[in-house]
Amino acid sequence: MQVATAQAPPPTPTSSGHPKGLYVLFATEMWERFSYYGMRALLSLYMIKALLLNKETSSLIYGNYTSLVYLTPLLGGYVADRYWGNRRSILVGGLVMALGQFALFFSASFYEAGQTTVPTMQLALFFLGLGCLIFGNGFFKPNISSMVGTLYPAGDKRIDAAYTIFYMGINLGAFFSPLVCGTLGDTGNPADFKWGFLAAGIGMLIGSLTFELFKKKYVVTASGAPLGAKPERTVEHAPQVPVNTDSPVRSETIAQPAAKGFASKLPMLIGVFVVVYAAIAWLMNYDWVGALVFSAMIVMPMAVLSDSSLSSREREKIYVILILSFFVIFFWGAFEQAGASLTFFADEQTNRQLTSTYTVPASFFQSANALFIIIFAPIFAVLWGGLGRNEPSSPLKMSIGLMLLAVGYLIIAFGVKGVDANTKVSMFWLITMYLLHTFGELCLSPIGLALVNKLAPARFASLLMAVWFLATAAGNKLAGVLSGLYPAGPGEFKKAADAGIDLPAILNGTQQATAEVVAKLKELEIPYQWPSFLGYQIHSLYDFFMIFVVLSAAASLILFVIYRKLTKMMDEPVAPVA
């Protein structure tokens, strides 16, 4: 447990009424997101153009990577809460992530123009880089996010606004990174990917240095106590404070009893995890990463709820976090197509010709969402505050966010309806979709972060933040699975035509593929059948995008039906619906 100390003066509020520590965390996370999104803007393109992988395999790796990035915060949150504290975890995580970006730089340096096979060292460094990014993020992400709320006294109404400001800082880095890393790496020459990865690594080092230089002076509680120090255990008979308060009490400002019951139930939890893992792995055709993510999503909440020190009020609030986490999976499963299928769409079927001499790199479109957040986040913050007592509850805001996501996909679905696979559509459709998705994200993601901070018991602050990110992990894995359903397009048609195969005719059933042709298509890793999802066959991009319309809209409507019950469990007033 952590005990309060008071060695630093109280933080001086800035002119906006927020402590300066918020802006230290703002800058640190901004550079980390610069690193993450700069690399993500290049990841799928690098796998296809430099590692020579097909879209299905690239989508699988993309989904595995992005899901594990949000799974490892379970480990990082636990270590921080019990052993290292937030500060040490953030430093270690940042340095390991920088190492991962530099590994990707060296991987891309092994690429040679015209190569038909990928050097072993190029692949080894690629997977080493992804592994470092996965584990480093696990220690960095949950700890810096949970520290935002600890800057404020218990019950402070500025916390929602603080997370929106923090979220805007995240997206400042996310806006610049695809532009910088895309300009350096997405040039049309696969040999240049290395420069984009190098820029991402340098950005991560800057973020780590920013936190180290300013944490002691500014990252402190409202009373001046340093935040995120190494946890200290109280003696066995130390006085304990009640933990059934409805206010968000932070472990940095008050001593609480350590979690109970977890260790004694560990063998049972491990047994349950093994059974669930085996069952899900079998259902997912032995997709081990997917089974790990979805099993953790089931078992980890059981581990938290098994703690015997939880009061009934705390359990009720934790149930709200867990229920909303389920709906978050569907949001990120559709939203995170940005780094996979929507990148394929931007690269192959979007008219990116801006002038007669300049073509917009496909990676640049990943800046659209971040730019819109920078523009509209302050507006949403003012909107929520201006509504006063009529402000929608957090569950209702999230329901609205899911519906906006569905509308965004509906727009782009009609933009490609009836369009030939070899025809490129206007950038308008993609940009408009990203605008609607941004509105949806602002209704869901910063609201969710603030909700976890307000509802989580102090001794589970980082761990429940990690559980929230676990839902994001499951959503990202779902995004990779769904991206693998992307139908064959110009790239596959040309590759097949170069081998003398009329792929559109085979897919549409107007030409029968011989055993020799099927063998050749398998060798080239080109699909020879249209993909299908739950019996729904996907013949076109319209069919593909409609999957996300249906999933997002259904989740939104279900959440709308139950939001009043969830709001009551949170003890928030229910706003009337016009």
Side-chain angles (χ1 to χ4, degrees), residues 240-275:
Q240 299 178 353
V241 299
V243 296
N244 61 345
T245 173
D246 287 344
S247 301
V249 182
R250 302 266 63 96
S251 59
E252 286 83 4
T253 60
I254 197 165
Q256 289 193 1
K260 297 179 180 179
F262 180 80
S264 62
K265 294 180 175 63
L266 189 58
M268 179 196 71
L269 292 170
I270 292 175
V272 172
F273 180 83
V274 170
V275 172

Side-chain angles (χ1 to χ4, degrees), residues 415-540:
V416 299
K417 187 175 183 180
V419 175
D420 183 83
N422 292 309
T423 301
K424 295 187 176 183
V425 301
S426 169
M427 291 185 283
F428 164 83
W429 300 106
L430 196 55
I431 293 173
T432 302
M433 183 208 68
Y434 277 131
L435 176 63
L436 269 295
H437 284 189
T438 298
F439 292 163
E441 185 180 5
L442 287 171
C443 290
L444 183 139
S445 192
I447 303 304
L449 291 173
L451 179 140
V452 174
N453 181 273
K454 288 188 292 186
L455 299 185
R459 60 201 182 282
F460 288 111
S462 291
L463 194 58
L464 279 170
M465 187 66 74
V467 170
W468 183 259
F469 286 125
L470 178 56
T472 308
N476 276 267
K477 177 58 185 177
L478 179 62
V481 172
L482 296 176
S483 178
L485 302 174
Y486 193 85
E492 290 78 15
F493 296 162
K494 182 180 183 304
K495 192 174 181 180
D498 290 342
I501 301 172
D502 186 352
L503 183 59
I506 293 173
L507 290 171
N508 293 323
T510 58
Q511 179 179 316
Q512 185 68 34
T514 64
E516 181 181 355
V517 168
V518 170
K520 184 63 177 178
L521 289 172
K522 287 182 178 179
E523 180 186 342
L524 295 172
E525 297 187 329
I526 298 174
Y528 54 91
Q529 293 179 329
W530 292 118
S532 63
F533 177 67
L534 300 177
Y536 172 68
Q537 198 165 50
I538 302 166
H539 297 91
S540 65

Side-chain angles (χ1 to χ4, degrees), residues 29 33 36-37 40 70 141 163-164 166-172 174-175 328 331-332 334-336 338 366-374 376-377 380 384 394 397-406 408 433-450 468-469 472 476:
E29 181 74 347
R33 291 291 88 181
Y36 176 81
Y37 283 105
R40 195 192 75 162
Y70 288 100
K141 189 68 176 174
Y163 271 105
T164 299
F166 179 70
Y167 206 70
M168 189 167 60
I170 289 173
N171 285 278
L172 187 62
F175 168 67
V328 164
F331 182 88
W332 295 118
F335 186 91
E336 285 297 328
Q366 294 193 44
S367 286
N369 168 248
L371 175 62
F372 291 142
I373 284 182
I374 293 169
F376 291 103
F380 272 73
W384 299 140
S394 296
K397 289 177 185 176
M398 297 172 76
S399 174
I400 294 169
L402 280 160
M403 186 56 69
L404 288 168
L405 186 74
M433 183 208 68
Y434 277 131
L435 176 63
L436 269 295
H437 284 189
T438 298
F439 292 163
E441 185 180 5
L442 287 171
C443 290
L444 183 139
S445 192
I447 303 304
L449 291 173
W468 183 259
F469 286 125
T472 308
N476 276 267

Side-chain angles (χ1 to χ4, degrees), residues 210-454:
T210 299
F211 184 75
E212 283 301 300
L213 289 177
F214 297 105
K215 66 181 182 183
K216 290 184 179 179
K217 185 175 182 180
Y218 297 117
V219 185
V220 293
T221 66
S223 61
L227 287 171
K230 182 179 178 180
E232 297 180 15
R233 300 280 178 179
T234 57
V235 296
E236 183 177 357
H237 299 292
Q240 299 178 353
V241 299
V243 296
N244 61 345
T245 173
D246 287 344
S247 301
V249 182
R250 302 266 63 96
S251 59
E252 286 83 4
T253 60
I254 197 165
Q256 289 193 1
K260 297 179 180 179
F262 180 80
S264 62
K265 294 180 175 63
L266 189 58
M268 179 196 71
L269 292 170
I270 292 175
V272 172
F273 180 83
V274 170
V275 172
V276 173
Y277 181 77
I280 294 179
W282 178 74
L283 290 172
M284 296 185 67
N285 197 25
Y286 302 103
D287 179 348
W288 303 112
V289 173
L292 176 64
V293 172
F294 292 118
S295 299
M297 189 68 203
I298 295 172
V299 177
M300 194 60 211
M302 295 173 58
V304 175
L305 293 170
S306 70
D307 188 271
S308 60
S309 70
L310 288 171
S311 68
S312 59
R313 186 74 184 101
E314 286 177 326
R315 288 180 185 277
E316 191 172 32
K317 291 187 175 184
I318 290 174
Y319 284 134
V320 174
I321 295 174
L322 299 180
I323 292 169
L324 292 176
S325 295
F326 173 76
F327 289 95
V328 164
I329 294 174
F330 295 96
F331 182 88
W332 295 118
F335 186 91
E336 285 297 328
Q337 296 300 311
S341 66
L342 292 175
T343 296
F344 305 153
F345 179 75
D347 186 49
E348 291 184 346
Q349 294 189 246
T350 299
N351 182 1
R352 297 180 281 113
Q353 199 70 35
L354 197 60
T355 67
S356 59
T357 59
Y358 181 71
T359 301
V360 179
S363 55
F364 276 25
F365 287 91
Q366 294 193 44
S367 286
N369 168 248
L371 175 62
F372 291 142
I373 284 182
I374 293 169
I375 295 172
F376 291 103
I379 297 174
F380 272 73
V382 172
L383 172 65
W384 299 140
L387 289 173
R389 295 183 62 183
N390 293 317
E391 179 181 357
S393 66
S394 296
L396 180 55
K397 289 177 185 176
M398 297 172 76
S399 174
I400 294 169
L402 280 160
M403 186 56 69
L404 288 168
L405 186 74
V407 173
Y409 272 111
L410 186 62
I411 288 173
I412 199 170
F414 279 102
V416 299
K417 187 175 183 180
V419 175
D420 183 83
N422 292 309
T423 301
K424 295 187 176 183
V425 301
S426 169
M427 291 185 283
F428 164 83
W429 300 106
L430 196 55
I431 293 173
T432 302
M433 183 208 68
Y434 277 131
L435 176 63
L436 269 295
H437 284 189
T438 298
F439 292 163
E441 185 180 5
L442 287 171
C443 290
L444 183 139
S445 192
I447 303 304
L449 291 173
L451 179 140
V452 174
N453 181 273
K454 288 188 292 186

